Amino acid sequence: FNNLTFTTAYLRGVMLESPVLNKKIDYTVFWGREGGGRYGNLSPGLGKIRDSFLSGMDFNYSPFLKQSYGFSVIHGWGRDRPTNLNPYNYDLYADAKVSDKQKLRYEIANDSQKFAHLFTSTYSVPKFHLTTEIRNIDKAFQTAIGSGYRHGQLGTLFYLFTTPTEKLNITSRLDVYQDRLFPSSKSPNIWNEDFDWNANYTIDPATSLMLNYTLQNELGRLGPFRYYSPGTGLNRTFD
């Protein structure tokens, strides 16, 4: 499982997963040594046995077809575990299917000291999909294994995908946020904007035309910069 308080980790240990009550409840419990030990992971730096362990539980409950809830607890310990990480981390989420077109999700995580919040809305109909995300991640928030998703950011993310015609598809992404972890020394409260727009038009089965535009206006970061790039391209496949 993957959430605000726990992301992918390399462990050597034991894991149990099981659904119960006609799949209304499912849970995962695990225990393992980080790094995998001598035989678990051969990546550089992970061959040495580490005195660092993780155990946890992820519990999910779906009382109704359109609602589900989940709770996670992660415990970490050992003398080789980074000292800036807390022993316990918690995560709580709720999913709701408002209609056949829209889904909502709210997640809150705590590392025993600081909080992280994530709200997501998904709206989908034929030929159109929009995802909206609102996040508030404390700059001192840590996951069970280190820095997490969008560390220290307060912001909103929009992702759009649409196919107005069978030959044309458009994707767009707009991210507006404050970087509170490494803010600009002169203007720490300035918001940053990242924007991408891409269109692909199929002229025939072997030919397509691409248009794209990228804007990065990140003046609120420690190393402020502004960048933009328009582009176009023609793809042709030859038999």
Side-chain angles (χ1 to χ4, degrees):
F1 60 94
N2 192 324
N3 53 39
L4 282 176
T5 197
F6 184 71
T7 55
T8 301
Y10 294 100
L11 305 174
R12 183 167 183 250
V14 179
M15 181 177 70
L16 171 66
E17 296 177 283
S18 178
V20 294
L21 295 178
N22 293 324
K23 298 185 179 181
K24 286 189 174 182
I25 295 176
D26 70 82
Y27 66 90
T28 302
V29 292
F30 72 92
W31 174 93
R33 182 193 296 271
E34 288 193 85
R38 284 201 173 103
Y39 310 104
N41 191 299
L42 301 180
S43 299
L46 296 180
K48 179 184 177 182
I49 293 180
R50 297 173 56 195
D51 187 49
S52 181
F53 302 87
L54 284 172
S55 65
M57 179 273 294
D58 181 58
F59 178 86
N60 299 277
Y61 176 49
S62 302
F64 308 105
L65 185 62
K66 296 183 178 181
Q67 295 181 24
S68 61
Y69 307 90
F71 181 68
S72 299
V73 180
I74 311 296
H75 179 215
W77 73 97
R79 63 175 178 269
D80 291 334
R81 182 172 165 81
T83 57
N84 64 316
L85 302 182
N86 293 319
Y88 287 93
N89 294 75
Y90 311 92
D91 187 277
L92 178 68
Y93 83 88
D95 279 336
K97 187 175 181 181
V98 180
S99 65
D100 292 336
K101 302 176 181 179
Q102 188 173 22
K103 297 179 181 179
L104 303 177
R105 180 185 178 97
Y106 173 68
E107 184 178 354
I108 179 172
N110 179 264
D111 65 0
S112 300
Q113 291 182 322
K114 302 297 182 179
F115 283 91
H117 305 265
L118 185 64
F119 174 80
T120 307
S121 172
T122 303
Y123 182 82
S124 184
V125 294
K127 299 183 178 182
F128 182 87
H129 177 89
L130 175 65
T131 298
T132 304
E133 172 195 287
I134 301 174
R135 62 186 181 275
N136 183 3
I137 316 296
D138 193 279
K139 65 179 182 180
F141 174 80
Q142 298 284 340
T143 71
I145 59 176
S147 299
Y149 175 74
R150 305 280 185 160
H151 196 188
Q153 291 188 8
L154 170 66
T156 303
L157 173 67
F158 301 95
Y159 175 78
L160 170 70
F161 174 77
T162 181
T163 54
T165 68
E166 291 184 358
K167 294 186 176 183
L168 176 64
N169 66 75
I170 298 172
T171 60
S172 182
R173 176 183 175 274
L174 174 62
D175 191 8
V176 182
Y177 67 95
Q178 282 185 334
D179 187 345
R180 298 177 295 187
L181 184 61
F182 298 111
S184 169
S185 58
K186 295 182 180 179
S187 305
N189 295 322
I190 288 184
W191 291 74
N192 306 286
E193 300 92 24
D194 289 345
F195 176 72
D196 293 290
W197 183 87
N198 298 275
N200 188 290
Y201 181 77
T202 302
I203 300 174
D204 58 51
T207 311
S208 63
L209 176 66
M210 298 184 303
L211 298 173
N212 61 73
Y213 179 78
T214 297
L215 169 66
Q216 291 179 291
N217 192 39
E218 303 192 358
L219 302 181
R221 306 189 70 176
L222 185 60
F225 68 92
R226 180 184 287 119
Y227 167 85
Y228 71 93
S229 173
T232 183
L234 182 67
N235 284 343
R236 173 70 181 180
T237 301
F238 297 94
D239 188 357

